[in-house]
Amino acid sequence: MKRKPIIGVMPLWDAKKESIWIHPGYIDGVIRAGGVPVLLPLTEDEEVFCRALEMCGGFLITGGQDVSPELYGESERTDNPDTCPLRDRLETCAVKIALERDLSVLGICRGFQILNVLLGGTLYQDIPSEVKDALAHLHTPNEAPVTHDVVIEPGTPLLSLLQKDIIHVNSFHHQGVKKLSDKLKCMARAADGVSEAAYMPGKRFVWGVQWHPEMSYKTDENSVRIFEAFVSGAI
């Protein structure tokens, strides 16, 4: 019997509570797909973080705060930035190690965004103010959660996996991919043109998705298949 791969999961950070936490869907999604999730340490000691990553065969970059715009050569456009520089630094180390070792990588929401940035791409700091005729990608308080369709690009691994041209996804973000890295290929777009998924050709499995399969895997077969493809690609 093949040993279940160990998947390093990036924890979330609650600045107000000064607390590390994780949405259970990230953990349960990996387990259901046949992996062994391990929560990585959110620590200032990069050596400790990278040492922990060495035991993993895959890396899950979770959602969370905005990616610091300095990473893609821009200044902050808001007065109260919601960023986590520590996550930026640790994920920079993790992506470097993962690509060097050809580990399986799945970036979700912020995870997709920072993967794109670390590979040379840029972001919309605020989709509603920067994208003409933008869809609603993030609900406001007291509104129902936002969902929309994405169109899957032909000839992509996502189309091969799901066998569907259009899928319905959840949406919880106000930032998004502006310039896609030259090292990534788009796999899906929203109706307003915003990239919703991409992959890195030539690698075992390096994907980013803008929606949240960890929130929908219990009822959505597409989300299950994405987790399964990610874990099955891990070493």
Side-chain angles (χ1 to χ4, degrees):
M1 179 181 296
K2 181 182 176 181
R3 294 185 62 186
K4 294 183 177 183
I6 296 174
I7 305 297
V9 180
M10 193 68 195
L12 307 179
W13 171 248
D14 187 322
K16 291 183 179 179
K17 296 180 179 179
E18 296 187 346
S19 175
I20 293 171
W21 69 286
I22 194 68
H23 188 289
Y26 290 116
I27 301 299
D28 295 341
V30 169
I31 293 173
R32 179 169 176 171
V36 178
V38 174
L39 202 61
L40 295 168
L42 192 62
T43 172
E44 294 285 355
D45 192 328
E46 292 183 8
E47 182 180 355
V48 168
F49 177 85
C50 293
R51 181 70 181 89
L53 190 66
E54 288 178 3
M55 68 179 179
C56 301
F59 177 47
L60 177 57
I61 319 177
T62 55
Q65 289 90 349
D66 296 344
V67 177
S68 299
E70 291 83 0
L71 291 182
Y72 49 97
E74 293 187 9
S75 58
E76 180 62 57
R77 297 179 183 175
T78 62
D79 294 331
N80 298 301
D82 181 21
T83 59
C84 183
L86 179 56
R87 281 197 62 175
D88 291 341
R89 293 199 300 274
L90 294 179
E91 287 167 356
T92 298
C93 294
V95 169
K96 181 177 183 293
I97 291 172
L99 295 181
E100 288 176 349
R101 294 182 55 203
D102 198 14
L103 303 182
S104 185
V105 178
L106 176 60
I108 293 176
C109 196
R110 169 201 157 89
F112 175 27
Q113 295 167 14
I114 195 164
L115 178 65
N116 178 60
V117 166
L118 293 176
L119 293 175
T122 64
L123 303 178
Y124 292 113
Q125 289 193 41
D126 183 60
I127 289 174
S129 62
E130 296 182 55
V131 177
K132 184 179 179 181
D133 300 323
L135 293 176
H137 289 271
L138 176 68
H139 68 275
T140 58
N142 302 319
E143 287 184 336
V146 169
T147 61
H148 60 75
D149 290 340
V150 299
V151 178
I152 300 178
E153 299 281 347
T156 61
L158 187 61
L159 182 64
S160 298
L161 177 68
L162 303 183
Q163 295 294 304
K164 297 174 183 177
D165 297 320
I166 299 175
I167 60 173
H168 199 63
V169 301
N170 53 32
S171 190
F172 300 91
H173 63 106
H174 80 103
Q175 297 199 321
V177 170
K178 184 177 182 179
K179 176 185 177 295
L180 187 67
S181 163
D182 293 339
K183 297 178 181 179
L184 297 173
K185 297 289 186 181
C186 183
M187 293 198 292
R189 294 184 186 276
D192 56 11
V194 173
S195 296
E196 291 277 335
Y199 77 106
M200 189 173 185
K203 290 296 183 181
R204 179 187 304 274
F205 184 103
V206 178
W207 285 23
V209 298
Q210 188 57 72
W211 61 92
H212 287 265
E214 84 283 0
M215 293 184 179
S216 55
Y217 75 96
K218 290 183 179 179
T219 57
D220 178 46
E221 183 61 28
N222 297 326
S223 298
V224 172
R225 290 183 179 181
I226 289 170
F227 270 112
E228 289 176 344
F230 164 56
V231 172
S232 67
I235 59 176

